[in-house]
């Protein structure tokens, strides 16, 4: 059982380049999330998708777009990468969003450097 | 805006010792609080989830408590082992929004 799979694991971009981070879950979860983790800042929510066909902004959405392609897949796109987007990106999923018993399952992360 | 704080930022203890990690949050209107473990270079693994109506949850050597009115949670680890060395993060949920603390880095010395 793979759980939450993120690709790629590592990426180096030049300022202004674009890229898409992929995330897929095989647990039939309804809700999916994208976070970034920076030293001293903790994890911050970028975007989430409460259910297939819906997406909403989190705490730090500027510079990012997302697509909930189907129930399994949730992608994060950087249209014009900036050095401030250097970070570790995590995708997570949960069975139901907005519920009291809402355990999140995380992928292994994508380490992105923007030069 | 919800603020989540974890103290201390780092902790080093000898093997076998019992220890407590602390988490505080500013807004008591939460759905739940979760404790996660993160190993270096890895993703997060959920350890315990406490719903807002609950006071504590236990799993093996771990016990988490929640005092929603005071905005505090503790994670108690009994009889610590070197394999417990990791970063422990707490997170509160206000529905679909999750707010994380910056974590406590725990080292258990053999």
């Amino acid at each position: 059982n793979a759980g939450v799979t993120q690709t790629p694991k590592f990426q180096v971009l030049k300022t202004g380049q674009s890229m898409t981070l992929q995330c897929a879950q095989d647990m039939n979860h309804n809700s999916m999330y994208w976070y970034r983790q920076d030293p001293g800042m903790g994890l911050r929510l970028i975007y989430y998708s409460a259910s297939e066909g819906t997406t909403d902004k989190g705490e730090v959405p500027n510079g990012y777009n997302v697509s909930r392609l189907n129930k399994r897949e949730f992608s994060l796109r950087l249209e014009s990468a900036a050095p401030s987007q250097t970070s570790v990106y995590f995708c997570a999923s949960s069975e139901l969003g907005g519920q009291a018993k809402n355990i999140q399952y995380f992928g292994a992360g994508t380490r992105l450097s923007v030069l | 805006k919800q603020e989540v704080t974890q103290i201390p930022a780092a902790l080093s203890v000898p093997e076998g010792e019992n220890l407590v990690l602390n988490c505080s949050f500013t807004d008591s209107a939460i759905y739940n609080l979760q404790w996660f473990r993160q190993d270096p270079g890895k993703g997060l693994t959920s350890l315990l989830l406490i719903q807002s109506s609950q006071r504590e949850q236990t799993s093996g050597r771990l016990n988490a408590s929640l005092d929603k009115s005071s905005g505090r949670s503790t994670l108690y680890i009994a009889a610590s082992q070197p394999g417990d060395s990791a970063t422990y993060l707490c997170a509160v949920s206000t529905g679909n929004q999750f707010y994380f603390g910056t974590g406590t880095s725990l080292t258990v010395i053999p």
Side-chain angles (χ1 to χ4, degrees):
Chain A
N1 192 347
V4 180
T5 303
Q6 292 184 235
T7 55
K9 291 189 179 353
F10 302 94
Q11 184 70 48
V12 179
L13 293 177
K14 295 181 180 178
T15 297
Q17 287 185 318
S18 63
M19 79 161 294
T20 299
L21 281 64
Q22 306 287 353
C23 176
Q25 51 89 11
D26 62 3
M27 296 174 281
N28 200 35
H29 284 170
N30 288 294
S31 301
M32 298 185 73
Y33 312 83
W34 277 106
Y35 293 90
R36 60 178 290 172
Q37 185 176 35
D38 302 291
M41 301 286 290
L43 276 82
R44 292 179 291 170
L45 184 63
I46 304 172
Y47 271 94
Y48 66 93
S49 171
S51 61
E52 187 179 355
T54 68
T55 61
D56 284 287
K57 296 178 181 179
E59 188 181 354
V60 288
N62 292 344
Y64 305 95
N65 287 300
V66 290
S67 294
R68 183 73 182 268
L69 304 170
N70 47 56
K71 192 171 185 180
R72 288 187 66 247
E73 298 172 289
F74 190 36
S75 63
L76 179 71
R77 182 161 179 84
L78 287 69
E79 291 290 353
S80 179
S84 61
Q85 294 178 306
T86 293
S87 187
V88 181
Y89 291 85
F90 288 101
C91 177
S93 70
S94 64
E95 185 173 1
L96 288 171
Q99 301 293 320
K101 194 170 185 179
N102 187 23
I103 298 173
Q104 290 200 315
Y105 297 84
F106 281 78
T110 294
R111 283 143 188 84
L112 175 67
S113 292
V114 183
L115 306 177
Chain B
K1 175 180 173 261
Q2 180 76 263
E3 301 281 347
V4 181
T5 304
Q6 291 186 249
I7 295 174
L11 182 63
S12 185
V13 300
E15 181 177 1
E17 195 163 290
N18 302 325
L19 59 103
V20 174
L21 307 180
N22 297 293
C23 173
S24 61
F25 49 95
T26 55
D27 187 346
S28 62
I30 63 171
Y31 275 48
N32 61 52
L33 183 144
Q34 294 185 61
W35 283 94
F36 293 87
R37 170 185 172 136
Q38 185 176 28
D39 293 287
K42 305 289 187 183
L44 281 70
T45 301
S46 181
L47 298 172
L48 288 165
L49 179 148
I50 310 176
Q51 299 178 49
S52 62
S53 59
Q54 298 176 322
R55 297 283 293 183
E56 65 178 297
Q57 280 286 332
T58 298
S59 177
R61 294 182 295 109
L62 305 180
N63 177 276
S65 68
L66 174 64
D67 185 343
K68 203 171 72 159
S69 60
S70 68
R72 298 187 182 204
S73 176
T74 61
L75 179 66
Y76 174 82
I77 302 177
S80 59
Q81 302 170 359
D84 295 331
S85 297
T87 296
Y88 291 81
L89 299 101
C90 67
V92 296
S93 165
T94 58
N96 283 309
Q97 296 274 0
F98 292 81
Y99 298 91
F100 282 78
T102 52
T104 294
S105 177
L106 173 65
T107 302
V108 180
I109 304 166

